Amino acid sequence: MEIDPFIFRLSIFILSIFVGYYVVWSVTPSLHTPLMSVTNAISSVIIVGAIIAALAGSSEDIFETSNIFGFFAIILAAVNIFGGFLVTQRMLQMYKKKKK
Amino acid sequence: MSANLSALFYLISGILFILALRGLSSPETSRQGNYFGIAGMIIAIIITFLSVGNFGLGFIYVLVFLLIGGSVGAFIAFRIPMTAMPELVAGFHSLVGLAAVFVAISAFLKPEAFNLGIVGNIKLASLIEMSLGAAIGAITFSGSIIAFLKLRGIMSGAPITFKGQHLINLILGLGIIFLIYYLCSYQSSNIFWSIVIISFLVGVLLIIPIGGADMPVVISMLNSYSGWAAAGIGFTLENTALIITGALVGSSGAILSYIMCKGMNRSFFNVILGGWGATDQSSSSDSKEKKPVKSGNADDAAFLMKNASSVIIVPGYGMAVAQAQHALREMVDSLKKNGVKVSYAIHPVAGRMPGHMNVLLAEANVPYDEVFELEEINNDFANCDVAYVIGANDVTNPIAKTDPQSPIFGMPILDVEKSKSVLFVKRSLSPGYAGIDNDLFYRDNTLMLFADAKKMTEEIVKSL
């Protein structure tokens, strides 16, 4: 019997939870705020879905309801991607060691 | 582009995201980590364009919208003051949530674009995945909006509770599951919309009973939800990058919530179901007999600290509110010139989000190797001459160790009382968020400095 591809995706999902568990525990507590902003930025990879939604269908009808939802989702995700990575960068620049 | 090849690239971008989080294990590697994250995102976006392969008019629109959103995001990122980080993160979570809802709606309206079947006959698994993604996304959205309003002060931070609240939440939650079940058999769009709307409602109801100082838990929890929503969409789209990211973000938020709860010695459910703020307000009102309090001015404080050999600074939310971090750093600079050894002690739940104090101190150019976590520094209070508590209260209250009746009993606290003298910058003797009196205020070795945190610190700098 063949294995349903869903099972593979589920395996990736569960293994990633474990990876996330160990990686996040090793994050130093002083960087917990940048951790939140960067996780926020990477979860905006949902833009992948938004792009597919926006470009679905024939090129004449690019403003069907489903496309419009896609376009809105692109804007929201883009705010997050740029905002998230840049604000993380800005924060990380500030963490400096004692001058010796 | 072939589906197999693009799947491999999505895997690479997922791995880059893992490395982005891995980089945060130390400040030195963190900046590099952030670049990994950016690279992963660029790969994911380019691969999506190539695999859709539609470079017509729609593509131009996509780029335009991408740039519009991007410039708004960049503008916010450069302009936002560091003290506003908690509300910024809450606001960003709401956007991820809403984006997840929109993608799910779009997939429901036009399943053929996502290879999920056709309208009215969507694959069963996809239907479950997209409705879960939409529901969690909607909860994340409205919950984060409420958190944002509370943090921003537009909405009162006080918990809003009413009778039967938990029962209503339970019914609505079960209602969502029930509707998803029906959606699977009938595929009606009305049911789908109802799921989305009820979930928006649940998000609001879930966050309104939670008080201001529990916000670190709430933000972490919403962080986690935004991850699970992304994962739900990832399953729908059969996209590895999204599944990996969703799992990473989901577990990251969950761990942060756990750390925050532990920092308050409370269970997750205790926080979610509305804790102290709701039930213990009475304890603050039974006024105790007036106990003598020693209060001093900036000159006294400056004298004490100048003649100390070591000082530990304990910042709290009050420092953030007063924006006192820069003045504080100046004070520490002059102390160091006088040969005083200074370090900072951070309680896990100080501030309104995980790591809030660390970012503010970093902003004020405090080197991160002078800043210590509770376990690292707690033993040093016994050998320190002066503890300078600025804007913190409950996290220093020794009652957490001595009185089993106290609502904060068992919460790990900074052992400020062990230092030779304690300086408490506070506007009044009013109790902190937990609504309990702090015994420290009345001790012989405590000097209260009644003033705004920033003003007082600036005055101390002057008299140093």
Side-chain angles (χ1 to χ4, degrees), chain A residues 33 40 66 80 89-90 92 96, chain B residues 31 34 77 92 106 354 368:
Chain A
T33 298
N40 187 71
S66 67
N80 247 326
Q89 191 68 15
R90 207 181 125 199
L92 294 176
K96 290 185 196 89
Chain B
R31 285 173 278 262
N34 201 36
F92 278 173
S106 184
Y368 61 81

Side-chain angles (χ1 to χ4, degrees), chain B residues 384-402:
Chain B
C384 113
D385 296 312
V386 179
Y388 185 76
V389 184
I390 173 167
N393 182 5
D394 289 333
V395 297
T396 63
N397 197 338
I399 207 169
K401 288 189 285 194
T402 52

